[in-house]
Amino acid sequence: EEKEKEKEKIEKKNKKQKKKEEEEENEEEDNRQIITIIYDKKSYAKYYETLKNEIMGNFTNFDVEEKEYPLPSNKQFFSKITFFTQMGISLLVFSGQKIKDKIPMIPPSFFDMIEKNKWFVIISNFVFHQWLNKNLSTTGAFEIYFKDKIIFSKLSSNKLPKERDIHSELKKINKKYKNRNKGKKKKYVDDDDDDFDDDL
């Protein structure tokens, strides 16, 4: 009978130890402190690297990962359209006099005006579409997340994050997780005390 009781105690202790190890593993996975920055890589690649180095230099327990902020579908659509508008204007500049009789809905004076101002139209067409393509291919986003919680949004604030703002948020996160971990450590101590009582 004593052997059975001793065996039960050992099994109970082993179960508690296994449970404790599993909880610690889950806690470690859950506490992976990863900052995700989803941003416009065409506009803010250098700024991302600077901010990443600042975060990891001051908060060694954080990892930083990056993602490209997706281009909205309307911008994708219009960026494709711009190719055809640029080509269409170029066609009017170089072939307008040849085709003006074939397009009766457009007044001949319009083609004559383009012909007189050919170089101005060519340069304006190029500059305008360069500017348009740049704006349609960027999002202006610099969104910072901790897990599912957003801690900064350039799209909402219309400004890039300052180091002190991010540090303030990360300190709050650190404090929260330290407090939570203290509670879990106390629980483990209590469990160990129970084992000690059992042994007594």
Side-chain angles (χ1 to χ4, degrees):
E1 190 177 341
E2 287 182 7
K3 287 183 179 180
E4 286 295 322
K5 285 183 179 180
E6 187 66 27
K7 187 177 178 182
E8 285 178 7
K9 282 183 183 179
I10 293 171
E11 287 178 356
K12 185 179 178 183
K13 200 169 186 178
N14 289 339
K15 282 180 181 179
K16 283 188 177 181
Q17 182 62 30
K18 187 177 179 182
K19 185 181 178 183
K20 180 179 175 181
E21 289 173 358
E22 287 175 354
E23 286 179 352
E24 284 176 345
E25 286 177 7
N26 292 334
E27 178 190 347
E28 185 180 348
E29 180 64 26
D30 188 49
N31 284 348
R32 286 182 68 211
Q33 302 199 91
I34 299 176
I35 298 297
T36 305
I37 301 179
I38 308 174
Y39 69 105
D40 181 348
K41 291 188 177 182
K42 288 188 178 180
S43 302
Y44 303 122
K46 287 184 179 179
Y47 193 86
Y48 163 78
E49 289 297 333
T50 301
L51 188 63
K52 174 186 175 182
N53 291 335
E54 287 172 353
I55 292 172
M56 297 186 73
N58 290 288
F59 297 90
T60 54
N61 57 321
F62 281 96
D63 290 325
V64 180
E65 67 173 14
E66 63 175 319
K67 292 182 181 179
E68 175 79 46
Y69 193 89
L71 199 65
S73 56
N74 61 328
K75 282 197 170 188
Q76 292 180 30
F77 173 75
F78 284 114
S79 63
K80 293 175 182 177
I81 296 295
T82 56
F83 171 79
F84 296 103
T85 58
Q86 188 172 8
M87 291 301 101
I89 293 171
S90 298
L91 180 65
L92 290 177
V93 170
F94 294 106
S95 305
Q97 293 300 312
K98 295 177 182 178
I99 64 173
K100 66 179 181 180
D101 296 331
K102 298 177 182 179
I103 311 177
M105 70 282 298
I106 300 177
S109 57
F110 177 76
F111 293 99
D112 295 336
M113 180 193 69
I114 290 176
E115 181 65 24
K116 288 177 183 178
N117 301 282
K118 181 182 287 185
W119 287 109
F120 174 77
V121 175
I122 290 171
I123 294 169
S124 298
N125 183 37
F126 175 78
V127 171
F128 172 72
H129 279 90
Q130 283 289 101
W131 171 84
L132 192 60
N133 285 326
K134 183 180 178 181
N135 280 275
L136 289 173
S137 63
T138 57
T139 60
F142 202 94
E143 316 302 290
I144 305 176
Y145 288 83
F146 175 70
K147 297 190 176 179
D148 295 330
K149 180 188 176 186
I150 188 162
I151 60 177
F152 185 88
S153 170
K154 182 183 177 294
L155 293 178
S156 298
S157 64
N158 203 30
K159 63 180 181 180
L160 284 167
K162 292 183 179 178
E163 182 182 347
R164 65 175 180 270
D165 298 328
I166 300 304
H167 281 202
S168 175
E169 289 296 326
L170 297 186
K171 282 179 181 178
K172 289 178 186 176
I173 292 168
N174 261 344
K175 186 176 180 181
K176 174 185 173 184
Y177 276 84
K178 279 179 182 177
N179 290 339
R180 193 177 81 170
N181 289 341
K182 279 181 186 177
K184 287 191 175 182
K185 283 178 183 177
K186 186 177 185 306
K187 176 180 178 296
Y188 293 146
V189 170
D190 292 342
D191 286 345
D192 291 340
D193 289 344
D194 290 341
D195 290 339
F196 180 72
D197 291 340
D198 288 341
D199 292 339
L200 290 176

